[in-house]
Amino acid sequence: AIDSRDNPHIAFYGNMSLNYASWDGLKWQFETIEAGRQQAPDRSWNMTGAWISLKLDVNDNPHISYWCPPSYWSGGQVKYASNEGSGWAIENVGSVVRDDGYIYTSLALDSRGIPHIVYRGDLGLMYAVRDGFGWNLQTVDYSLKPAYCMRAPSIAIDRNDQPHISYIDDCRFSTLKYAFLN
């Protein structure tokens, strides 16, 4: 993401952790947002911070959605991290029980800075928006087949703060789909 001063910001997975880098005009600043274990109990590699989406708000504060499993093959949490000047705050958005290691996330911020996240959940494509009480979850597209059929979601928010989502449904012959809230 590029901030209002044209400086780049990058969220990335490395060393089994979610990391963040930003250019301050002179040098790169690096932070580990959430550290993962070196190796999961089932001997698979930890993927804390995989399937990342980064956005900057109007004040250039970073907001990140990502996946945090206890091991590569064992579900875990879709999470949201934000830093509005006083350090990183991390929230659980939704649980994922069954997966194949590909829990795609996509994040958008509306005009009030409210985060909207779309991700592949257990029952299909899930949409999450933070309200005053936590995260409100809705199923966008339900799949009777394994949820891993839904992939590559992307979310955008229109000028009326309504979500628009595109994704691929591999259960239906790799169909490109578009969903919106009406």
Side-chain angles (χ1 to χ4, degrees):
I2 305 297
D3 68 22
S4 60
R5 296 177 310 280
D6 290 332
N7 291 324
H9 297 250
I10 303 167
F12 62 98
Y13 168 75
N15 295 324
M16 314 300 162
S17 302
L18 174 63
N19 300 283
Y20 173 73
S22 61
W23 179 256
D24 66 8
L26 299 172
K27 63 183 180 311
W28 285 98
Q29 303 292 327
F30 291 91
E31 298 178 70
T32 297
I33 298 170
E34 184 171 0
R37 295 179 306 274
Q38 290 303 311
Q39 198 171 34
D42 68 358
R43 309 212 30 90
S44 66
W45 292 107
N46 187 289
M47 297 289 289
T48 298
W51 305 111
I52 302 165
S53 183
L54 165 68
K55 297 292 186 261
L56 300 177
D57 64 24
V58 296
N59 297 314
D60 293 333
N61 296 316
H63 300 260
I64 302 168
S65 65
Y66 62 102
W67 176 52
C68 183
S71 72
Y72 186 75
W73 300 108
S74 60
Q77 290 285 326
V78 171
K79 291 189 172 189
Y80 166 75
S82 62
N83 187 337
E84 297 186 15
S86 60
W88 289 98
I90 298 174
E91 303 172 27
N92 290 336
V93 174
S95 296
V96 179
V97 176
R98 50 178 206 182
D99 76 78
D100 61 353
Y102 298 95
I103 306 300
Y104 304 91
T105 73
S106 181
L107 166 70
L109 302 173
D110 67 22
S111 65
R112 297 166 295 175
I114 294 172
H116 300 249
I117 298 171
V118 64
Y119 65 94
R120 198 194 68 205
D122 293 329
L123 300 176
L125 194 66
M126 300 299 294
Y127 165 70
V129 61
R130 191 192 312 133
D131 60 24
F133 304 101
W135 289 92
N136 180 1
L137 303 176
Q138 299 176 30
T139 303
V140 174
D141 192 349
Y142 178 76
S143 176
L144 291 173
K145 296 184 180 194
Y148 58 77
C149 291
M150 308 296 178
R151 64 182 177 90
S154 182
I155 187 169
I157 305 297
D158 68 22
R159 66 176 176 248
N160 296 316
D161 289 334
Q162 295 300 309
H164 296 260
I165 301 165
S166 65
Y167 59 101
I168 296 172
D169 184 346
D170 276 341
C171 290
R172 293 172 183 90
F173 308 105
S174 294
T175 303
L176 176 62
K177 290 187 168 184
Y178 165 70
F180 61 95
L181 191 59
N182 60 14

mmCIF file of all heavy atoms in Angstrom, residues 41 65 91 148 158:
data_model
loop_
_atom_site.group_PDB
_atom_site.id
_atom_site.type_symbol
_atom_site.label_atom_id
_atom_site.label_comp_id
_atom_site.label_asym_id
_atom_site.label_seq_id
_atom_site.Cartn_x
_atom_site.Cartn_y
_atom_site.Cartn_z
ATOM 1 N N PRO A 41 2.718 -28.618 16.179
ATOM 2 C CA PRO A 41 2.747 -29.930 16.835
ATOM 3 C C PRO A 41 2.671 -31.114 15.863
ATOM 4 O O PRO A 41 3.236 -32.161 16.136
ATOM 5 C CB PRO A 41 1.519 -29.904 17.747
ATOM 6 C CG PRO A 41 1.288 -28.456 18.015
ATOM 7 C CD PRO A 41 1.705 -27.746 16.751
ATOM 8 N N SER A 65 -5.658 -8.048 7.223
ATOM 9 C CA SER A 65 -6.361 -9.310 7.484
ATOM 10 C C SER A 65 -5.402 -10.430 7.116
ATOM 11 O O SER A 65 -4.587 -10.294 6.202
ATOM 12 C CB SER A 65 -7.659 -9.411 6.679
ATOM 13 O OG SER A 65 -7.413 -9.470 5.288
ATOM 14 N N GLU A 91 -7.328 -8.906 16.517
ATOM 15 C CA GLU A 91 -8.648 -9.441 16.825
ATOM 16 C C GLU A 91 -8.886 -10.718 16.032
ATOM 17 O O GLU A 91 -8.474 -10.820 14.870
ATOM 18 C CB GLU A 91 -9.738 -8.440 16.437
ATOM 19 C CG GLU A 91 -9.623 -7.091 17.087
ATOM 20 C CD GLU A 91 -10.621 -6.096 16.521
ATOM 21 O OE1 GLU A 91 -11.694 -6.512 16.028
ATOM 22 O OE2 GLU A 91 -10.318 -4.890 16.567
ATOM 23 N N TYR A 148 -13.129 -25.410 0.101
ATOM 24 C CA TYR A 148 -11.948 -24.982 -0.640
ATOM 25 C C TYR A 148 -12.237 -24.725 -2.105
ATOM 26 O O TYR A 148 -11.376 -24.295 -2.851
ATOM 27 C CB TYR A 148 -10.783 -25.961 -0.472
ATOM 28 C CG TYR A 148 -11.051 -27.377 -0.889
ATOM 29 C CD1 TYR A 148 -11.071 -27.739 -2.223
ATOM 30 C CD2 TYR A 148 -11.255 -28.369 0.068
ATOM 31 C CE1 TYR A 148 -11.304 -29.040 -2.607
ATOM 32 C CE2 TYR A 148 -11.487 -29.679 -0.310
ATOM 33 C CZ TYR A 148 -11.514 -30.002 -1.643
ATOM 34 O OH TYR A 148 -11.754 -31.289 -2.020
ATOM 35 N N ASP A 158 -18.160 0.452 -2.028
ATOM 36 C CA ASP A 158 -18.586 1.558 -2.889
ATOM 37 C C ASP A 158 -18.803 2.835 -2.072
ATOM 38 O O ASP A 158 -18.618 2.860 -0.854
ATOM 39 C CB ASP A 158 -19.809 1.170 -3.719
ATOM 40 C CG ASP A 158 -21.082 0.963 -2.896
ATOM 41 O OD1 ASP A 158 -21.184 1.483 -1.764
ATOM 42 O OD2 ASP A 158 -21.982 0.267 -3.401
#
